[in-house]
Amino acid sequence: MDFDELAKVGSMMGSGGMIVMDEDDCMVDVARYFLTFLTEESCGKCIPCREGIRQMLTILNRICEGEGKEGDIVMLEELSEVVQDASLCALGTTAPNPVLSTIRYFKDEYEAHIRESRCPAGVCKALVSYYINPEQCQACQICLRECPVGAIMGGKNIVHVIDQDKCTKCGTCLDVCPIRFAAVEKLSGRPVPAAPPQGTKVRRVKKAQQ
Amino acid sequence: MKKLQKVTLTINDREVTAKEGMTILEAARDAGIYIPTLCYHEKLAPYGACRICTVELSRNGRSRLVTSCVYTVENGLIVKTESPKVIKVRKLLLELMLASSPAKAIQDLARQYGIEKRRFEADKTNCILCGLCVRYCSEIKQANAIGFVGRGTERRVVFHPEIASTVCASCRECFSLCPTGKLPSETDGVCFDDLTLDDFLKTQQSPA
Ligand code: SF4
Ligand code: FES
């Protein structure tokens, strides 16, 4: 790997750092992260850099919040082009790179956010929900105890249910649900199924498998 | 003293003669060719912040955009002041400026470039940070009563409370330079935004 190889795939060495990401990283969120950094890093002298980055960040925030609109991708590209062409220094002329390269290689992720209210990586909190599958829940009460905001209802032998209004989407329940139950699901782009009636008893179906 | 050389360049398909060291903007104006400007002032050093004076240069078949108020003339330059690329940039810059400063001067320019609807919103500060006030106060008056604070989207203009209280009342020359009218309308020449002396001094020390 060298400067030329990176340039070929539309990247650059920058300050010599490299970040490795996988399918658990949301590309829109990554672009948003870099632009947030740049709004603070820009000196603010010239209009394209200062105001262009500001508006690009507004759009990225909107998409991550699930408020993305048809036309936002084109608008990001339009802003990028002018910020690249008209900025005073290299901070501005390269500022749109994270936006342009994520759109170029991961346009489907942008579209999923805008059109299906879905964050494929499950990162954008506004677009994910946690759900306890009543068929799988064994009422072990671990998530119920660990949820930092007390959003989980249930009890001994009673299927646990997440109060979607209280849930802050921290993901603790998913982390602590024992793998052998795997009852907690992270949903994005589809509605949370209706909760079972209050007091539903657990189904001990998994016993035999242990 | 070395006599200044004559430079010949082409602006909008017209051959123009300029003096060495002139900017493209000055050469164009001398030839009666219009290029819009917002942060330019003939008495002040070139600044290049608003980018509205962007023009397209071509040389040896390659083209690029430069700010005409900063770029000095060279023999054989081919300049287009209203190429499609230039217009695209200017339009978007005006839309970006309108988002925070819906001032008349900017609206007039926006209308001139056919901008009809507003696509962006931002904090309405009424200031485009052209720096005319700051640079005039420093370069011409050498008073430094007004300066920039903050960086990135936080950048803004403030008066230095101590200096301003002694010199501004009898001067106020920056008022007429302000393209957005912020200075005359929002201040009596004492202080913006209740910023303290500390805030001001902090930014004077940070690199430009
Ligand atoms: S206050 Fe007026 S003159 Fe000063 S930087 Fe802002 S727009 Fe320019
Ligand atoms: S007039 Fe040239 S950059 Fe503002």
Side-chain angles (χ1 to χ4, degrees), chain A residues 179-195:
Chain A
I179 290 174
R180 59 185 191 282
F181 305 150
V184 179
E185 293 169 14
K186 191 184 209 174
L187 310 176
S188 188
R190 58 194 169 106
V192 180

Side-chain angles (χ1 to χ4, degrees), chain B residues 25 29 33-40 50-55 68-69 81-82 86 90 94 109 112-113:
Chain B
L25 175 69
R29 290 209 167 159
I33 298 167
Y34 167 80
I35 299 174
T37 58
L38 283 166
C39 71
Y40 169 80
C50 73
R51 320 301 282 174
I52 205 75
C53 69
T54 293
V55 295
S68 61
C69 70
T81 67
E82 302 276 335
V86 167
R90 269 188 214 148
L94 287 164
L109 261 181
Q112 189 182 319
Y113 281 92

Side-chain angles (χ1 to χ4, degrees), chain A residues 38-48 50-55 58-59 75 78-79 81-83 85-89, chain B residues 47-51 54 65 85 88-89 92-93 95-97 99-100 119-123 127-129 150-153 155:
Chain A
L38 289 165
T39 19
E40 290 157 20
E41 215 48 33
S42 164
C43 80
K45 174 172 169 175
C46 78
I47 301 269
R50 184 184 72 240
E51 300 302 329
I53 295 177
R54 186 210 299 270
Q55 296 299 342
T58 305
I59 298 172
M75 179 97 89
E78 191 185 337
L79 282 161
E81 191 186 331
V82 170
V83 175
D85 281 350
S87 290
L88 180 68
C89 82
Chain B
Y47 188 60
C50 73
R51 320 301 282 174
T54 293
L65 298 177
K85 232 178 160 174
K88 190 170 178 184
V89 164
L92 196 71
L93 289 175
E95 287 189 79
L96 289 172
M97 284 187 241
S100 49
R119 294 190 293 170
F120 308 116
E121 286 305 326
D123 284 354
C127 175
I128 56 166
L129 297 163
R151 59 184 304 149
T153 46
R155 184 174 167 101

Side-chain angles (χ1 to χ4, degrees), chain B residues 126-133 148 157 177-180 182-183:
Chain B
N126 288 319
C127 175
I128 56 166
L129 297 163
C130 68
L132 282 171
C133 52
F148 295 112
V157 154
L177 297 176
C178 179
T180 66
K182 179 186 177 79
L183 287 173

